[in-house]
Amino acid sequence: MSNRAKRCSWCGELASVKLPYARLSLCSNHFLEYIERRVKNTIKRYKLIRPGDRVVLSLSGGKDSLALLHILNSLGDDFELCALGVDLGIKKDEYSARSIEVSERYCRELGVEFLKVDLEKDYGFTIDDVFSSRRIRRPVCSSCGVVKRYVTNRAAVELGADSLATGHNLDDESTVLLSNYLNADIDLLVRSGPVLPSRGERMVSRIKPLYETSEWETSMYVYYRGIQPVEQKCPYALDTPISRMKEIVNLLEERRTGSKIALVRGFAKKIKPILAEHHSALGEIGQCEECGYPTSTSVCSFCRLRKRVLNSK
Amino acid sequence: MSNRAKRCSWCGELASVKLPYARLSLCSNHFLEYIERRVKNTIKRYKLIRPGDRVVLSLSGGKDSLALLHILNSLGDDFELCALGVDLGIKKDEYSARSIEVSERYCRELGVEFLKVDLEKDYGFTIDDVFSSRRIRRPVCSSCGVVKRYVTNRAAVELGADSLATGHNLDDESTVLLSNYLNADIDLLVRSGPVLPSRGERMVSRIKPLYETSEWETSMYVYYRGIQPVEQKCPYALDTPISRMKEIVNLLEERRTGSKIALVRGFAKKIKPILAEHHSALGEIGQCEECGYPTSTSVCSFCRLRKRVLNSK
């Protein structure tokens, strides 16, 4: 008898997914509804979006950001949603072209406005240029992070957005958190969490509505929604220290169900506020001498990176 | 050629231990010296002991506290050292009797003053009574923790000590730290770390000179010193959530050498000071109505526990 097919805890139909941490089995339709409610609760719990907000979603064409596009779109008319794709100019495997194509297609299907930043056209260089430049010593993934953070913020500011949403999920966040604890990096700790508020003009707040939704859940979400993310992995993606740390966090979750959520929620609710209060007294933010966007140094890291790449082209 | 025996990095003799995190191989004598220096550095780094201090060491007869007895004794005459054993009255396997016997013997050998608290004689009950009492619902290890913290502090106060040293090692501390991060327990976080300062009269500061020395290192230390710790494990010791967490921390160390040290040192140096500053504004400490020792409630948890046990005897 214990072998019989599981039934959906909500409607009694055959269940498609089992969620041990929530003691639920759900059919595919109720699973989709469950995840949408979860994200709605995350938005409420951390006050990520206020009524009437203009939210720009950064779309990569991967499963997380596409799931988030559909979820945010399903949450109704309480806020205004538009999407932003960045053509990073990664030619191999047609990675960037496919990213933009997939992102644009789903926005069109859902009737969500899609805007594109073209790194080559708008800023004169590509991530391929960064990779081949001999003058850039940091790993390409790290430079790409600088680029994406800068161009998405700038586009969101120009669009008059209240916030910029990204697809970072529970696995990303719990892993980075453990790593930041390990390095006791107060600066990175304070900048992590479900929301990084604007610290002045020309800086929109960054929000992570998938903060409490796991990678497995977004994978299941796109699968049951019939969404097909970009198949290619970024050709520059490597086995980084962070991916090794992900293993540790997964093991922790295996041994103690609910650990990932406990880790990130406890941080966001209790530890971060204390660190942030202490930190705000220290951190002054200025304007980049070249572009006018916020930075803590005289010239921002994006402008420095761009200059180096352009000089070595 | 790569198979040849390793040589001591300090003297060229055959090496007995390999310390990959320090890129050292050492002969047994230099290993003992290395560990003694390490503990000396820990004491200096965290300002655990000042010249002229009267330090009471809590001795259980296990490898950690016996190693610490020998190490502290080797550090010279800069401070005054005496040792304290608690007879918990655990009859099974003659656990308590053996603990006291071993502790007393090594103190005699080293010429360190040894004092004993007898739970039955001095307070009228034993840990066996706690275990068999139907009126105590918390796990016996948790009650035993309350008892040991109370009686060691009280004895240290009566001895006019400046601090009470315990044998908690790097593995204990990194594991508890990860667990406290996971639960975001600010109160426990603030009370952890290499030193818990006195918060008023009748409370000595608690120090952990093995904060940066691993379990493996104390095991090797007692082995090469020819010290024989109590063989018995406490008969009440169980497979607790903490021992499962230890596995995770060990895996982390395996994947990323130096993780345990990084975790505890980063916490002690950077994160704890911020949390403690915030916390000190909140926590008021009073006096127990029954015994006069510090507590945050009207009657301290030791007096409440004792009353329940005595009433059910």
Side-chain angles (χ1 to χ4, degrees), chain B residues 76-103:
Chain B
D77 305 325
D78 206 24
F79 55 90
E80 193 188 331
L81 178 66
C82 70
L84 179 70
V86 182
D87 186 336
L88 295 164
I90 298 174
K91 302 260 179 327
K92 199 175 164 208
D93 306 336
E94 296 189 303
Y95 178 72
S96 290
R98 289 282 299 136
S99 282
I100 294 292
E101 194 185 309
V102 169
S103 303

Side-chain angles (χ1 to χ4, degrees), chain B residues 139-154:
Chain B
V140 63
C141 294
S142 157
S143 298
C144 189
V146 168
V147 167
K148 282 191 289 192
R149 272 191 299 278
Y150 182 88
V151 302
T152 53
N153 174 66
R154 185 160 176 164

Side-chain angles (χ1 to χ4, degrees), chain A residues 9-204:
Chain A
S9 317
W10 290 0
C11 70
E13 294 288 314
L14 271 184
S16 301
V17 292
K18 218 177 127 183
L19 305 166
Y21 57 88
R23 300 184 185 205
L24 280 178
S25 294
L26 294 173
C27 69
S28 56
N29 279 336
H30 280 131
F31 173 72
L32 296 173
E33 193 185 323
Y34 176 77
I35 294 298
E36 286 158 7
R37 271 198 216 173
R38 158 93 55 78
V39 175
K40 196 174 178 178
N41 285 336
T42 303
I43 291 172
K44 208 171 155 189
R45 170 170 294 121
Y46 299 111
K47 301 187 178 70
L48 302 186
I49 301 176
R50 290 156 307 179
D53 268 4
R54 186 172 168 83
V55 178
V56 172
L57 167 64
S58 177
L59 262 188
S60 69
K63 62 177 171 32
D64 297 312
S65 64
L66 284 181
L68 187 53
L69 172 70
H70 284 76
I71 296 168
L72 290 179
N73 189 57
S74 77
L75 294 185
D77 305 325
D78 204 26
F79 57 89
E80 196 186 329
L81 178 66
C82 71
L84 179 71
V86 182
D87 186 336
L88 296 163
I90 298 173
K91 301 262 179 326
K92 197 175 168 209
D93 306 336
E94 295 190 302
Y95 178 73
S96 289
R98 291 281 299 136
S99 281
I100 294 292
E101 194 185 309
V102 168
S103 303
E104 202 163 10
R105 177 158 61 85
Y106 281 108
C107 286
R108 201 167 48 237
E109 270 185 22
L110 296 176
V112 172
E113 190 186 358
F114 179 78
L115 297 126
K116 191 176 88 173
V117 174
D118 186 319
L119 201 56
E120 173 122 61
K121 268 198 208 141
D122 301 345
Y123 295 97
F125 71 101
T126 65
I127 294 297
D128 283 347
D129 294 335
V130 173
F131 182 71
S132 48
S133 165
R134 285 191 192 162
R135 304 194 54 184
I136 311 291
R137 286 202 201 103
R138 68 203 296 177
V140 64
C141 294
S142 157
S143 299
C144 188
V146 169
V147 167
K148 282 191 289 190
R149 272 192 298 278
Y150 181 88
V151 302
T152 54
N153 175 66
R154 185 160 176 164
V157 167
E158 287 167 0
L159 288 164
D162 296 290
S163 59
L164 179 72
T166 58
H168 294 93
N169 61 40
L170 175 60
D171 294 71
D172 301 327
E173 295 300 305
S174 53
T175 304
V176 165
L177 178 56
L178 182 60
S179 167
N180 289 339
Y181 276 146
L182 205 61
N183 299 319
D185 191 322
I186 310 286
D187 199 54
L188 287 183
L189 280 167
V190 168
R191 284 201 253 162
S192 70
V195 54
L196 177 61
S198 161
R199 287 200 290 162
E201 268 183 68
R202 294 193 170 195
M203 190 186 209
V204 299

